[in-house]
Amino acid sequence: MIHLFCALACEAKPLINHFALEMDQIKRLFNIYYSDKHNMSLTITGVGHRNAAAAVSYHAGCSNPFASDIWLNIGIAGHASADLGSCYLANKISDVNRTHTWYPQFVVAMPCQSLPLMTLDTPSKQYEECLFDMEAGGFYEMATRLGTNELIHCIKIVSDNDQQHFSNINAEQVSQYITDNIPVIEKVIEVLLPRSEELTKLAEMPESYNTITEQIHFTVSERIKLNRLLRQWQLRLPAVNPIEHIQHDMPAKNVLQVLSNKIKASPYSLII
């Protein structure tokens, strides 16, 4: 699933309209929208670190997320000199008031540039050559407890700078900035989806697991070992059926040994 988080309703509105998200009618602490078609949710967190962290935690309790899910914090940010309406991914997130720092992982090429981001508790007119917001730190800290780092990112669109201070921004401008960058947001999702799908597949029970355990008795601890070995087999020997190397009258410990030996003897290479 794809989980989107926006601080403001004016940030969320273009995404809600574009992805045809429908509001969850159950009374909740935060407004949450869903789309079955896009396998997507959007939560409006409110402004600030604490609200962002609380919204991520609350949403997780409502949706039971998987480690393979995509988490995106989308919203506006300030920057000293970047063009208004320009879109960036955060490559470093510093929560200034809590002295915490995180480094989002980029394992594939992204469709837009990245910049460091600082999360503040209050708006500031002291712009620097980095992004400024009030939610990313809270979002990222909580999301990384629930998901996989490489699938958790902050997309920030510059709404104010030295020439155009945040006090001059209005909701209509914010919505337009988000609307203009929906193609970039879609490309980020498109880039992350294959990795998400790969992790989902790896998390599934190997097909051969049920066949083997139906034929041979395994204790609870042996089943855990079998599951782990079969996952390794999928990575190291994807074209080989493990059942072909197992006899139905083998003791469970012998099955585990055969699988382990075959995996250890298989060729392995890491391609970067």
Side-chain angles (χ1 to χ4, degrees), residues 142-159:
M142 189 58 63
T144 51
R145 299 180 184 182
L146 301 164
T148 302
N149 285 16
E150 62 205 71
L151 299 176
I152 303 170
H153 289 284
C154 297
I155 302 174
K156 296 297 172 177
I157 298 160
V158 178
S159 60

Side-chain angles (χ1 to χ4, degrees), residues 148-199:
T148 302
N149 285 16
E150 62 205 71
L151 299 176
I152 303 170
H153 289 284
C154 297
I155 302 174
K156 296 297 172 177
I157 298 160
V158 178
S159 60
D160 51 294
N161 55 27
D162 276 334
Q163 305 302 314
Q164 171 81 12
H165 287 183
F166 68 85
S167 56
N168 297 321
I169 305 171
N170 59 54
E172 185 177 349
Q173 287 176 314
V174 171
S175 291
Q176 190 60 52
Y177 288 143
I178 301 294
T179 298
D180 292 343
N181 283 282
I182 283 178
V184 179
I185 295 168
E186 287 186 310
K187 288 180 181 177
V188 170
I189 293 173
E190 183 181 334
V191 165
L192 295 176
L193 273 176
R195 180 55 177 159
S196 174
E197 292 167 355
E198 180 183 350
L199 291 177

